[in-house]
Amino acid sequence: MRALRLLGWKSEPELVEVAEPEPGPGQVVVKVGGAGACHSDLHLMRDFEGGALPWGPPFTLGHENAGWVHAVGDGVRGLGTGQPVAVYGPWGCGICGRCRVGTENYCENPAEAPVPGGGGGLGLDGGMAEFLLVPSARFLFPLPDGLDPVAAAPLADAGLTPYHAVRRSWPKLPPGTSAVVIGTGGLGHLAVQILKATTAARVIAVDTREEARRHAVEHGADLALPSDDATADAVRDATGGRGADVVLDFVGVDATLATAAASARMLGDVTIVGIGGGTLPVSFFSVPYEVSLQTTYWGTRPELAEVLDMGARGLLRPDVTEFPLDRAMDAYRDMEAGRLTGRAVIVPA
Ligand code: NAD
Ligand code: ZN
Ligand code: ZN
């Protein structure tokens, strides 16, 4: 089969011929219906080098996957061939305290995981191929009626990651509050929808691109602002001088982190999701009082079920541009050049 593989750090992936995977005991092979192109893959191609992560190339890209059960290994029960499924991506050990409650994104026993701190498309072979080997049936979620694999794929990361970030801030978002989404691309356009569907907060979208701001408003943002030195003041103007109760940064460069901190309300949350490599100096007077700052990584297994339910009910609608496998690099080039709205999904079949 063909697979889009990252063969070394600081290089572009290549479409190469590899053997079709076969399921061992407890494993499942999924015929890939859709594999989302995440900006993190661009970071993998451009920013990382040996030693920065506990895993490395070569591996097949694609950590945001959905498809159909193709073959099951010994001992797998309850999954029939042809069953449409979404793949939970952060593959933990399955037995530590975090994994036992489904928080495999924060597995505390990574040495026992299929790959330490990664998953398919992140150290192990991912979904940008015709077939994907999934090491345990517990990573598979049957798709609810109304959701096909192309629409489900982005939900596994571009949906799940902002859902986790928003969910942990729910108590700070009753009626009368505001939330800022910085970077309304793949993750951000779904963050806007998640905030609208699960909270009563007023949603302010921030992006450098006019097209992305227009898109965010189409998806429910109440206000859209350009991203520059004046953004934080504009957020304060729009919130009666108070600032936003929750700020989610899906970019993570110095400038957006500074905007995020300066836009937050006292007692608010600033959550860094984007891995743009920026830093935010924190000192007594540099951030509003009692602002909580956190990074978040992906989401939990139970949260993926919630996100898929929202997708099937039309509460979450990923805006998808499809690309065949042999044009996957075009998807990344379009993403890098700011020509995409929503999410690019690679459709190998
Ligand atoms: P994307 O390219 O689809 O979207 C990024 C958006 O940010 C674009 O609309 C772009 O115009 C906008 N942008 C760029 N610079 C900006 C600036 N200075 N101010 C405001 N907007 C700006 O990317 P994506 O796939 O949505 O990923 C977003 C980030 O999240 C990436 O850094 C990615 O690696 C990271 N990510 C993190 C996790 C996690 O678990 N923490 C998971 C997935 C992705
Ligand atoms: Zn990702
Ligand atoms: Zn674990």
Side-chain angles (χ1 to χ4, degrees):
M1 66 172 186
R2 292 170 315 153
L4 186 77
R5 288 174 70 75
L6 190 69
L7 300 174
W9 292 125
K10 306 234 163 160
S11 71
E12 298 228 324
E14 290 175 33
L15 194 58
V16 296
E17 200 60 39
V18 296
E20 275 181 28
E22 286 184 24
Q27 301 181 331
V28 180
V29 170
V30 170
K31 182 175 163 63
V32 179
C38 181
H39 205 111
S40 299
D41 297 333
L42 277 174
H43 294 308
L44 290 176
M45 297 171 209
R46 308 271 188 263
D47 303 343
F48 289 94
E49 37 201 337
L53 295 168
W55 40 263
F59 60 87
T60 301
L61 288 171
H63 56 269
E64 183 182 271
N65 306 304
W68 302 271
V69 172
H70 177 71
V72 301
D74 286 348
V76 174
R77 306 177 62 179
L79 285 173
T81 305
Q83 162 80 55
V85 287
V87 183
Y88 177 74
W91 295 343
C93 75
I95 48 173
C96 74
R98 295 288 185 231
C99 284
R100 252 186 276 124
V101 296
T103 310
E104 301 212 20
N105 48 328
Y106 301 137
C107 173
E108 290 178 324
N109 198 7
E112 294 298 320
V115 62
L122 299 167
L124 293 178
D125 289 342
M128 297 208 177
E130 282 151 76
F131 298 99
L132 165 67
L133 179 66
V134 178
S136 166
R138 81 173 183 280
F139 300 132
L140 295 180
F141 286 72
L143 294 187
D145 288 344
L147 203 54
D148 66 66
V150 171
L155 298 179
D157 177 13
L160 177 58
T161 301
Y163 183 73
H164 177 78
V166 169
R167 197 182 199 285
R168 67 182 302 292
S169 291
W170 275 350
K172 295 191 181 180
L173 294 171
T177 59
S178 317
V180 171
V181 175
I182 302 177
T184 57
L187 273 65
H189 90 290
L190 291 170
V192 167
Q193 297 177 46
I194 291 161
L195 284 160
K196 294 306 285 189
T198 68
T199 79
R202 190 151 170 264
V203 177
I204 303 172
V206 174
D207 203 290
T208 38
R209 292 185 295 138
E210 206 275 324
E211 173 68 6
R213 297 198 294 273
R214 190 188 54 73
H215 193 241
V217 170
E218 273 170 26
H219 282 290
D222 298 282
L223 175 68
L225 299 170
S227 185
D228 54 34
D229 291 349
T231 308
D233 285 342
V235 169
R236 291 207 175 267
D237 284 347
T239 54
R242 291 183 297 270
D245 298 80
V246 173
V247 183
L248 303 160
D249 184 353
F250 294 98
V251 182
V253 297
D254 287 348
T256 57
L257 293 173
T259 294
S263 301
R265 185 180 185 179
M266 286 184 282
L267 296 161
D269 275 348
V270 171
T271 301
I272 303 166
V273 182
I275 53 177
T279 53
L280 176 68
V282 173
S283 64
F284 195 86
F285 293 111
S286 75
V287 290
Y289 293 128
E290 286 199 41
V291 158
S292 296
L293 268 169
Q294 50 276 313
T295 56
T296 59
Y297 177 65
W298 224 326
T300 70
R301 278 198 290 124
E303 286 167 347
L304 180 56
E306 294 169 16
V307 168
L308 293 173
D309 182 71
M310 288 177 67
R313 293 171 56 212
L315 294 170
L316 254 186
R317 295 176 191 276
D319 204 325
V320 166
T321 308
E322 294 184 31
F323 289 78
L325 190 53
D326 55 10
R327 287 194 51 229
M329 272 319 292
D330 291 342
Y332 290 112
R333 284 187 199 106
D334 285 355
M335 177 188 287
E336 203 161 30
R339 289 190 292 262
L340 276 180
T341 51
R343 198 57 146 185
V345 172
I346 312 306
V347 181

